Amino acid sequence: MAPARPLLWRSLRVFQIYGANTDVGKTVFATILSRAAKGIRHGERSAFLKPVSTGPLDDADDRHVEKHAPGVVRKTLFQYDTPVSPHVAARGKEIPLDSELLSAIYDFSSQRAAEGAGWLFIETAGGVHSPGPSGVTQADLYAALRCPVVLVADSKLGGISLTISAFESLKIRGYDVEAVLAFRDDKHDNAEFLRAYFAKHHGPLVASLPKPPPLLPNANGDADAELMSRYYQETSGNAETLRVLDELDRSHRARIERLESMPGEAHRRIWYPFTQHQLLTPGDIVAIDGARGDFFQTLAPPLPRTGDNGGTQVQPVLRPSFDGSASWWTQGLGHGNPSLALAAAYAAGRYGHVMFAGAVHEPALALARTLLDNSGNPRLTRVFYSDDGSTGVEVAVKMALRAARRRYGWSASAEVGVIGLRGGYHGDTIGAMDCAEPSAFNETVEWYSGRGIWLDYPRVKCIRGWWAIEMPTDAGRELGEDRMFGTLDQVFDLERRELERDHEVYESYIEKRLSRHVGEGRKFGALLMEPVVIGAGGMELVDPLFQRSLVKVVRRSAKLFDPLHKPEAADTADNTSWTGLPVIFDEVFTGLYRLGRFSAASFLGAGAEPDISVHAKLLTGGLVPLSATLASESVFAAFGGSEKADALLHGHSYTAHPVGCHVAVESLRQMRDMEARGEWDWAKRGGDQTSSLGGLSLSPSPGEERVWSIWPEDLPDWISHQTRLVAGTWALGSVLAIHMDAPDGLGYKSNAALNLQRTLRDGGDGGAWNVHSRVLGNVLYLMGSQKTTQEDIAEIANLVRRAFSRRSANRKSPSPKAS
Amino acid sequence: MAPARPLLWRSLRVFQIYGANTDVGKTVFATILSRAAKGIRHGERSAFLKPVSTGPLDDADDRHVEKHAPGVVRKTLFQYDTPVSPHVAARGKEIPLDSELLSAIYDFSSQRAAEGAGWLFIETAGGVHSPGPSGVTQADLYAALRCPVVLVADSKLGGISLTISAFESLKIRGYDVEAVLAFRDDKHDNAEFLRAYFAKHHGPLVASLPKPPPLLPNANGDADAELMSRYYQETSGNAETLRVLDELDRSHRARIERLESMPGEAHRRIWYPFTQHQLLTPGDIVAIDGARGDFFQTLAPPLPRTGDNGGTQVQPVLRPSFDGSASWWTQGLGHGNPSLALAAAYAAGRYGHVMFAGAVHEPALALARTLLDNSGNPRLTRVFYSDDGSTGVEVAVKMALRAARRRYGWSASAEVGVIGLRGGYHGDTIGAMDCAEPSAFNETVEWYSGRGIWLDYPRVKCIRGWWAIEMPTDAGRELGEDRMFGTLDQVFDLERRELERDHEVYESYIEKRLSRHVGEGRKFGALLMEPVVIGAGGMELVDPLFQRSLVKVVRRSAKLFDPLHKPEAADTADNTSWTGLPVIFDEVFTGLYRLGRFSAASFLGAGAEPDISVHAKLLTGGLVPLSATLASESVFAAFGGSEKADALLHGHSYTAHPVGCHVAVESLRQMRDMEARGEWDWAKRGGDQTSSLGGLSLSPSPGEERVWSIWPEDLPDWISHQTRLVAGTWALGSVLAIHMDAPDGLGYKSNAALNLQRTLRDGGDGGAWNVHSRVLGNVLYLMGSQKTTQEDIAEIANLVRRAFSRRSANRKSPSPKAS
């Protein structure tokens, strides 16, 4: 794996020179800056790099630098002879992979940094969006380098426009433009306009320098060279040039100071969620400079200082860290995704926010359409927007409880609870917290009171190579022995399991439990659960057949929940009406391709679709909060009436904010396109190999999709054999969960997985990159985005294996270094 | 008032032609398109408009069109002779205001629409960001026209970059680019690259046409003209040209169809917040096409159809509607603010979201710094982020209750409530709802239970020209008679009123009430209120002296809340520690310049600052949801401990999302800059006039800022004299609240203000623009943004006066037409 490594060293100031257009003088400014930089501090070096050059070698920009900035180290990495755009010039030639190009830039820069204090100017080719050799435009290609920019303005007629647009294209990709440089031109004083423009918009410094002398008509080359030489001598000593270098130096130092001071300042000013601050030191806080794709760019911990200064200076300030929790389960399409950034900006520019009562805008409607049309659930017809998963669940509960209360004629003061699964967790607002049973997450919270009952359930794990269904202990022998399957597909083959009557024991168990609670006088208004995976409650894979059975039992009869109820025709007006209780699926974590499918409800099979479903997190691909609660018409009807107070009394100011809705439309489109194009086929194919047990795999029924994961198929199997450390593991969609065998007890407060987490944090390639992961008690999980590549997953899987091997080795022969 | 009017008619297809650069062939393409458009449908006309032209008249683009597209109507609105950028060419000449320029474009377009079905191509000057005559760049200048774009690509070397960047600059401003047109060029086949690029990004159609013939060397003009003539004949009949026109026609019709179908589809698919759908028809749903500044661009209701088709076709499809609720109190810096859009895109491009536990990023820290440093509250040291005002209040309540419970040693199961004000409302999640007393907003909601007590309070209103403080009826005579003041400044001059001992009666009243409740065994964990204005609970202006007194009484003594409490030194470690109870100010509505000041707490004077404050809505200037709960170190300390479970157990996945934080930093910077630059001085000066009562105004103390409003100072006075209709009114900051004298009873369910709302909706200038307003029961309020201009406010104030006059007249002589 070679994630792009950001270019930041303490002693080396690196700037990327972009042009507002081709032929605006990038090389002239690069020559001036690199020449001037060499001289300003004693002993400091200056270097020039042209990653990709087109045109004859003799005209190459580094030759110009060699001639006019003697003593400046210079290099061209890839040279193509034809003077056209690199993507055209490279046709038929050797084309470096983008990652190779970035790697070569890093290596050259790193060597310069190793040589001591100095400067490096990297000149791009053409304009900001001129394509690189692979065809990816430079602004995208180089963004992961996190290199600050010197933008060379176009000083000609029309150049104001080009310069502002180039600036905006860079900003959209998170570039920090530190200076705009222009030639002075009396006719089109673009610099004057740009200075005022950027000052008004709190933009970069704008500086202007004299134009190079025109070539003399009919003069010989020597006279031209003499003029140019004088020009460079003058401009590189010019006060304006020195002012620019000063500013660049200042911004470089300020950036590093900010990065280094951030953990301390955060420790003083920020109140972190779910964090015991008394256990938090500034050293525990990771300073994040930026993020791209699946990687954060984080402040690297300092290497131990030695007497040899030269050695320590080489250490880069930043390193890539794989975002192993997909930033708390939000990132689907990679950090810094330019399409999502542009989508956000478009909606912001077109609308800002517009109030969403008695009004409608296109993004809200388009998103509603997309969600309803792709849910695969014939019940859902309505979309209610709120701000996040927690509010989305509160909305869902308000919907369901009202529907149930109205049908069963319960009074407004009746205590009505939810039916859920043990450990299920739905958010941190009080109403969402109340849907979870008491636990370390909520039991100390004022105003929390668990409102409902929570059934224990059978869990699925890979153990010693078998896919086991572990029956809950509090079910006693009611559910029989644990079950073993050869593949996860077999566990999810519900049709076959129902043919084998596996569900009957579940249904009778569930019905008995529910009857008992109702018999005790309890009232319930909803079945609320996360389909397939209990997320925050411990990353448990639930036997899908159990959940299917639960839905079926709940739907079967109104009498179960109100023995006195007299069914009315309206209760079951059509086959999309809710029966028994409204069923809510909290798909905030599990939905929208997290587990490989648009909706996780589909794992439970036809007939088990929810009446209400809640979506958030991946909905906006990892950009801004937004939630959608989908409901059926029969739930919706429960709020009809002539009184406004009968309406669903919920609404946020930013309800259906266009930025979120439009970004969500774009995110879902991208993910659906990826699915349609088969971009996850490599992962799906992983499931074609038979498991290590061999021979037990069943082909899925025709037309039915297998369950699949981006994690190598043999990884859960391998991990599950680390039996001294691991209780069980599973992988599905983008998630890998490792349940450690925790001698200090299971549960949220456990520290069992922390050692594995530390090994991942120390990283691979001698710390050149690492993995930022999260633990939930004794569970360490790793989660990719929907864009994570097969190569990256393979490398991380290897790191996981190495971590286990090291830990196993340590266990065998404990040494003072093991920790 | 002349808000920019969007260019959309059913029969006239209007497109704006932008260029990726100057000299890319905009005029050539405009000529081809307008010439071809003329012919394709029988009887359809075609027109060309150049709003601003520079260069000699003979070379003007409309002459070129005249010559090569005979029969096309053409016009140049503003002509400058010098062939430079319009902002330079216009120096020393007559410069049209931006609004005049937009108005002239509208008028020309409207005339074309009146002439029947056809096409209009509007050619911009230079590149997308080339400045118009006023210096505002065109992409910003013309955005409010909501005109779809034909972007002419640059076909030269480097043109790929310029075209993509120009496209992005347009998108950031909400433009819909419908087609990209390029010349074919064998050497730089930019069109080919752009076609693939935009296809991949689901962008516009890309079409290419042959280049115009080069001028013949040494040939006479006639030969050139002949060549050009042939060129235009060929290209305007070309299949590619017709394909482009087809696509433009399709997109025009699709847009109108979408707009017209949106209300119906929304009625079927959307579940609206706080809306009784049974009372909602598609006709009640406003289709919003876009928004700019303070105006929505809304689908105008169809005029009654007459037999005369020509007459009805003139009606524009869209009209500007003043966003009179600031989109549910979110919009501070105007809709479609390009700086905010770019800020959002920058953070999206730099980070996406990054998980916010044990990590920190610059925008989160910069926003924390800005909020703490500008709060003017020495108590606040910590920032906790959540997603919206409701979650922010839940966080605040979790903070306060824990702090109180810990200090007073109450058990975890003790019922602890809040002290609030009657009608106070803090959000729709259950925990926030529980902070409000039972009302129509919540009493039917399952799981709601009001947890606390709510004091009635003295209200401030302008009545018959006097600023009255109305004492609450349930206080009996305890608080004495209503008070009258000559100006609102006098009401807010708390220092003087305390000198006059006005507060003593308040304090003893409050203390008595609280003692009684505590005496009954009730426990309280927080004082929670909206400073100065009760927003959603009825838009009531609270006597600030009463709120100040309430804070003082609550802080005075721990004994008041726990008679057995033995004070410890740690309770009052320093003078920023909370005493009595933690005081929470919900500034979600009132803060961040809504009432003219960064924090509304400052109206209550020194010593009455909260221990916890909640901010949202204007925080992000009207773009995306984000909330910040600020707290003091002494509140923070209550969550210290060795157990993770003692931490504040709250956190959303998108906590401190960089997009929201960075947009908030930019919003607050813009508003603070506006204040520093004196951009609200026109409104502040309004307060210098003495009220219509004359002679009663007191100058504010030196260094103390007066209270002020953007609404004309004499407006509340005038309205307050409409005594048959109005119970009272007030204006403060951007808010004007009109309490109607509602014969059908006060409160949320009242329809009293609906008639006034209807008059505003019908609008001014014969319906050319209107006002979209919201009512809360018997209260109609109007709210500007922080960017609303004096001119717009004056016009709206006039419309309000006219509405009252008409209603008064109607009352006097009811006629069948009055409704």
Side-chain angles (χ1 to χ4, degrees), chain A residues 153-488:
Chain A
D154 187 323
S155 305
K156 300 185 285 289
L157 179 65
I160 288 171
S161 181
L162 306 189
T163 307
I164 297 173
S165 283
F167 173 81
E168 292 180 342
S169 290
L170 292 170
K171 290 296 273 189
I172 291 173
R173 288 156 181 86
Y175 283 90
D176 293 307
V177 180
E178 300 295 352
V180 173
L181 305 185
F183 290 127
R184 280 178 208 139
D185 183 308
D186 293 338
K187 190 171 172 200
H188 312 292
D189 199 352
N190 294 356
E192 185 197 9
F193 184 91
L194 292 170
R195 198 173 285 124
Y197 183 90
F198 285 119
K200 192 175 161 199
H201 292 82
H202 290 250
L205 164 83
V206 177
S208 59
L209 290 173
K211 275 196 283 199
L215 294 185
L216 296 176
N218 309 320
N220 61 27
D222 286 352
D224 278 340
E226 170 61 25
L227 277 174
M228 279 307 282
S229 172
R230 206 179 308 149
Y231 169 77
Y232 279 118
Q233 197 171 351
E234 281 167 16
T235 50
S236 63
N238 188 310
E240 187 81 338
T241 304
L242 299 180
R243 187 169 77 95
V244 170
L245 285 173
D246 250 16
E247 174 60 23
L248 297 182
D249 180 51
R250 193 204 55 72
S251 74
H252 172 79
R253 283 183 292 108
R255 180 181 178 200
I256 292 175
E257 277 165 26
R258 266 198 319 275
L259 275 168
E260 292 181 332
S261 68
M262 273 164 64
E265 192 181 351
H267 194 257
R268 283 197 315 279
R269 291 183 187 265
I270 299 291
W271 190 333
Y272 280 106
F274 280 105
T275 300
Q276 177 47 264
H277 276 256
Q278 210 153 298
L279 307 177
L280 185 78
T281 69
D284 299 323
I285 300 173
V286 180
I288 295 182
D289 181 68
R292 191 88 185 167
D294 286 322
F295 290 86
F296 298 135
Q297 293 131 354
T298 62
L299 182 64
L303 292 180
R305 265 197 171 269
T306 65
D308 172 15
N309 245 333
T312 59
Q313 279 170 356
V314 166
Q315 192 195 2
V317 178
L318 298 173
R319 68 169 166 181
S321 299
F322 183 81
D323 177 3
S325 73
S327 276
W328 268 355
W329 320 349
T330 62
Q331 290 293 318
L333 295 163
H335 292 277
N337 181 310
S339 302
L340 297 190
L342 192 61
Y346 167 75
R350 179 167 169 189
Y351 306 95
H353 173 55
V354 297
M355 66 104 55
F356 198 70
V360 64
H361 54 79
E362 277 189 59
L365 209 44
L367 179 57
R369 207 181 296 132
T370 301
L371 286 169
L372 294 171
D373 291 353
N374 290 282
S375 70
N377 181 345
R379 294 172 182 254
L380 304 178
T381 60
R382 292 272 165 186
V383 177
F384 189 103
Y385 289 108
S386 69
D387 290 349
D388 56 38
S390 191
T391 61
V393 165
E394 292 217 5
V395 168
V397 170
K398 282 182 180 177
M399 289 175 173
L401 266 53
R402 175 69 51 85
R405 185 161 72 79
R406 215 169 144 161
R407 179 172 301 172
Y408 293 123
W410 299 331
S411 78
S413 60
E415 266 295 320
V416 181
V418 299
I419 297 166
L421 293 188
R422 170 150 298 174
Y425 194 80
H426 306 281
D428 308 330
T429 54
I430 295 295
M433 271 197 164
D434 284 357
C435 296
E437 71 180 326
S439 74
F441 272 119
N442 54 35
E443 63 193 354
T444 59
V445 174
E446 290 75 14
W447 289 11
Y448 162 76
S449 62
R451 303 180 193 242
I453 56 152
W454 296 272
L455 302 178
D456 207 347
Y457 57 89
R459 290 156 175 80
V460 182
K461 279 189 191 72
C462 188
I463 299 174
R464 291 176 190 263
W466 289 89
W467 286 92
I469 300 181
E470 299 179 314
M471 297 303 163
T473 49
D474 79 347
R477 298 186 172 270
E478 266 184 274
L479 294 177
E481 298 295 314
D482 292 358
R483 300 282 310 273
M484 296 290 172
F485 291 85
T487 68
L488 190 57

Side-chain angles (χ1 to χ4, degrees), chain A residues 5-14 105-114 120 252 255-256 312-318:
Chain A
R5 301 183 63 181
L7 305 185
L8 187 63
W9 291 268
R10 282 176 179 74
S11 58
L12 184 72
R13 312 156 191 92
V14 189
I105 294 173
Y106 179 86
D107 291 344
F108 179 82
S109 309
S110 176
Q111 283 157 23
R112 299 289 75 69
L120 168 62
H252 172 79
R255 180 181 178 200
I256 292 175
T312 59
Q313 279 170 356
V314 166
Q315 192 195 2
V317 178
L318 298 173

Side-chain angles (χ1 to χ4, degrees), chain B residues 497-513:
Chain B
R497 290 178 62 195
E498 284 193 339
L499 279 173
E500 291 169 1
R501 298 176 178 265
D502 276 9
H503 60 297
E504 292 178 356
V505 60
Y506 284 162
E507 291 188 13
S508 84
Y509 168 80
I510 292 163
E511 192 153 355
K512 214 180 293 173
R513 297 264 156 158

Side-chain angles (χ1 to χ4, degrees), chain B residues 634-696:
Chain B
S634 104
V635 170
F636 176 74
F639 290 81
S642 57
E643 288 296 314
K644 187 163 174 176
D646 291 332
L648 176 49
L649 298 177
H650 198 106
H652 300 271
S653 293
Y654 282 100
T655 294
H657 56 102
V659 170
C661 290
H662 191 62
V663 167
V665 167
E666 173 69 16
S667 293
L668 296 179
R669 191 186 58 66
Q670 282 194 32
M671 291 198 286
R672 293 177 53 228
D673 282 0
M674 290 179 75
E675 184 175 41
R677 283 196 302 262
E679 292 195 22
W680 301 314
D681 283 356
W682 61 269
K684 294 182 182 178
R685 272 194 306 271
D688 283 343
Q689 302 155 22
T690 52
S691 91
S692 61
L693 291 167
L696 287 171

